[in-house]
Amino acid sequence: MTHRAPFDFFTRSAFGIEPGSHIGTQLEGLASRIDLSKGQTAPLDNRSDRIVFVASGATKLVAQASEQRQQIVAFHFDGDIVSVPADGLFANSVTALRHSELLVFPAREFFDSAAGEARIARSLLERLPIALQRCRDRAVALGQGSATERLAGFLLAMSERIGRADADHCELDLPMSRKEIGESLGLTIETVSRQFGVLRELGLIKTQGRSRVTIFDRDMLSRKAGHLHQTQKTSGNPTN
Amino acid sequence: MTHRAPFDFFTRSAFGIEPGSHIGTQLEGLASRIDLSKGQTAPLDNRSDRIVFVASGATKLVAQASEQRQQIVAFHFDGDIVSVPADGLFANSVTALRHSELLVFPAREFFDSAAGEARIARSLLERLPIALQRCRDRAVALGQGSATERLAGFLLAMSERIGRADADHCELDLPMSRKEIGESLGLTIETVSRQFGVLRELGLIKTQGRSRVTIFDRDMLSRKAGHLHQTQKTSGNPTN
DNA sequence: CGCTTAATTGAGAGCCTTCAATCATCGTGG
DNA sequence: CCACGATGATTGAAGGCTCTCAATTAAGCG
């Protein structure tokens, strides 16, 4: 990738605008390009909000309360846009799970520019509620779900984002360690490992090596995750 | 309030635009006005996303996995904008904690209109990341925090949104029951009650009746919540 | 003032965590 | 290509925190 390839990918893939357009150059002026190798943390100024575009790679967004206690708030992959707030209740940071290329924007200026361009604004208004919904689903899982349910839900979510569906079963190469899965689900390494064992013995998944997971029965896994199913969906409420 | 007062309040307070403007009428055409009394659930069509504006009152956004298991995803108050997705992993609903006036928009059309109006787009791009951040903070609390930490964090968050700060201490009238607090924090009624007791015996709060809470020591409460404090904030990282 | 519902308090059970040890994986060097 | 070492993952046993079940007390409304 040349030095400006990430930005072109950004404008095109994220917003469907051609590089070189007025708004494109405007946004490019705001961007800082960052290259992270595995395990590196992006040097973000935590005094104001940032918008980070993951051009390639895989990253984790980490919230840190104390030195010892940290939680992974979200994982992000190629083409994802991440909203990274200034430190609030917790300190936030973006760390690469593998080599990643990022574009970093100051949030305020980015939104100022984006708001004036209908196409970009529309795209952001499309993406942000999705991120919000992902976060809510996670919050529900963290609040209500058992360890097994959390891991089942995690595997399903990951398979939808980075899985390779192959007929009935689905292959998955997890770019994160058990420790990181645990930090994302609010569980310990050991519990995560035990739950992998549970799902394995139920015949729902197979694991090969540290990162390869094969999902045999998506539907049953979804049931184990405590997710809503067709039969139990609230029947259409006509008003509105 | 007259029948169109909520909408005028909506355009003005949420976006700073005057009623009667082109975009104002356009949005008004999309809106359905809903009046909910305490305990009532908004009759939302769960087949597509909605945007709900809480003109007055207090509401809870509930995610329901099964009949028995439901979690409160967020509370909303006067002037809040709520993004209510179509049923995904869980079914979503909006229920009034007390009498509330809502404006309901179909999300797609709402965003289509909003994207073309820089002022509105900018305002939404301001609000959505805040909602996202609130959700993330909750997710961290649910994933990592003990029962005491969760309640402490909850009380702080509520005091910031609906508390009356009075010199050193802060008074709070909680519009939700212990059950609803529990459903929001992923705890049982009993545990919530016990944690109120813990915070009370620590001298951090006082409770009067079912809903009145007085916070004596915000700072200590914040510490109990496991939140980041000035002394432990990561020192400014200059790059970017 | 009495009744209904919500909140508090107590005792025991279950799930996850913690601590500890063993095993597997994978990158490295021979 | 294999052996080796380091790190990550798995497995086991004991303890703690929250949940469950049950009873009592308090609050708020008619």
Side-chain angles (χ1 to χ4, degrees), chain A residues 70 83 112 122 136 144, chain B residues 70 83 112 122 136 144:
Chain A
Q70 60 176 37
S83 164
D112 282 344
R122 188 64 184 83
R136 285 174 176 167
Q144 304 274 33
Chain B
Q70 62 176 38
S83 163
D112 282 343
R122 187 66 184 80
R136 284 172 176 167
Q144 303 274 34

Side-chain angles (χ1 to χ4, degrees), chain B residues 102-189:
Chain B
L102 311 182
L103 288 174
V104 180
F105 303 86
R108 186 156 31 81
E109 289 86 340
F110 181 79
F111 286 141
D112 282 343
S113 295
E117 201 71 16
R119 199 157 179 183
I120 299 189
R122 187 66 184 80
S123 167
L124 287 171
L125 292 177
E126 189 90 32
R127 285 165 170 264
L128 282 169
I130 293 175
L132 181 57
Q133 188 49 24
R134 279 218 188 96
C135 186
R136 284 172 176 167
D137 288 341
R138 279 173 40 76
V140 173
L142 292 179
Q144 303 274 34
S146 67
T148 312
E149 288 171 321
R150 295 187 204 180
L151 184 61
F154 171 82
L155 291 176
L156 283 170
M158 282 302 135
S159 77
E160 276 168 23
R161 298 178 72 183
I162 55 171
R164 292 178 305 282
D166 176 15
D168 197 37
H169 59 295
C170 172
E171 294 232 325
L172 197 54
D173 279 308
L174 297 176
M176 67 289 285
S177 66
R178 297 284 186 272
K179 181 160 180 284
E180 287 166 323
I181 295 174
E183 284 173 353
S184 139
L185 299 178
L187 301 171
T188 59
I189 296 181

